Amino acid sequence: TYPFTENFDTWTASSSADYGNICWGRLTNYSSSTRYPYVSTSQSQSRSNSVYFYGASSTYSAMVLPKFDLPVDTLAVSFGLYITSASYQLQVGVMSDPTDMSTFVPVGIAHPTTINQWQNFEFILNSYNGPDGYIAIAAPQGTTAYGYVDNVEVYPIPSCPRPTNVTATNLTTNS
């Protein structure tokens, strides 16, 4: 059923436990007891939890969403992202094998324009041109990236795009 939504508020927050939802996957090559990405209570856009990512020069982490019944190139994904440094960013992509990071094909970059605030991102996946697979959000290897993700939503690409950068001018107390 679409839209598919997840705010992680019912998941157990832990840097070492498995996800409570077996339909989601995570990948990392970080070698410690901390298993990135993990459910955290440090920041949240909704009530209580988000997912914390970490990537560095030789380390990556990725969250793999469940398999959907529509082709990936007919879907869109949106989520909130919170970062603490202007250089941090996460990637959205598609994986043909949810257990193999080498199959990750980037489709877009979530790079907030402000730090220490939640910013929403939407990615239309119609530019993906490969085998059907799994949507993934990743802190890629090669750049330092920390970030919190919350309120993930997946839905069929709308026939009319959502408005962006809406502004109002000449506002008065009577308008």
Side-chain angles (χ1 to χ4, degrees):
T1 304
Y2 295 95
F4 169 86
T5 60
E6 182 57 69
N7 64 15
F8 309 105
D9 290 339
T10 62
W11 293 31
T12 301
S14 172
S15 63
S16 60
D18 285 328
Y19 286 164
N21 185 325
I22 60 169
C23 297
W24 291 69
R26 71 172 155 193
L27 299 171
T28 188
N29 63 348
Y30 189 73
S31 58
S32 87
S33 60
T34 301
R35 297 181 61 203
Y36 294 102
Y38 62 82
V39 179
S40 170
T41 59
S42 296
Q43 298 294 333
S44 65
Q45 189 177 29
S46 57
R47 289 180 303 156
S48 56
N49 293 344
S50 64
V51 175
Y52 182 64
F53 289 79
Y54 170 72
S57 61
S58 61
T59 306
Y60 64 82
S61 64
M63 178 176 64
V64 184
L65 280 69
K67 181 80 168 158
F68 294 100
D69 60 353
L70 293 175
V72 171
D73 64 356
T74 67
L75 297 173
V77 61
S78 64
F79 56 86
L81 176 59
Y82 183 100
I83 59 169
T84 57
S85 172
S87 64
Y88 297 166
Q89 62 188 22
L90 297 181
Q91 291 182 351
V92 173
V94 179
M95 299 177 71
S96 57
D97 180 346
T99 64
D100 183 357
M101 192 65 187
S102 70
T103 69
F104 180 82
V105 176
V107 175
I109 297 173
H111 191 182
T113 55
T114 58
I115 62 170
N116 300 318
Q117 290 183 22
W118 286 95
Q119 188 170 340
N120 293 319
F121 289 89
E122 178 183 49
F123 296 91
I124 306 296
L125 303 178
N126 63 352
S127 65
Y128 174 70
N129 191 13
D132 201 29
Y134 297 80
I135 299 169
I137 302 170
Q141 183 171 318
T143 61
T144 300
Y146 299 86
Y148 297 89
V149 168
D150 204 356
N151 297 331
V152 175
E153 186 175 356
V154 178
Y155 42 90
I157 297 171
S159 57
C160 295
R162 294 180 187 192
T164 59
N165 300 323
V166 176
T167 61
T169 58
N170 297 325
L171 297 177
T172 67
T173 55
N174 296 326
S175 61

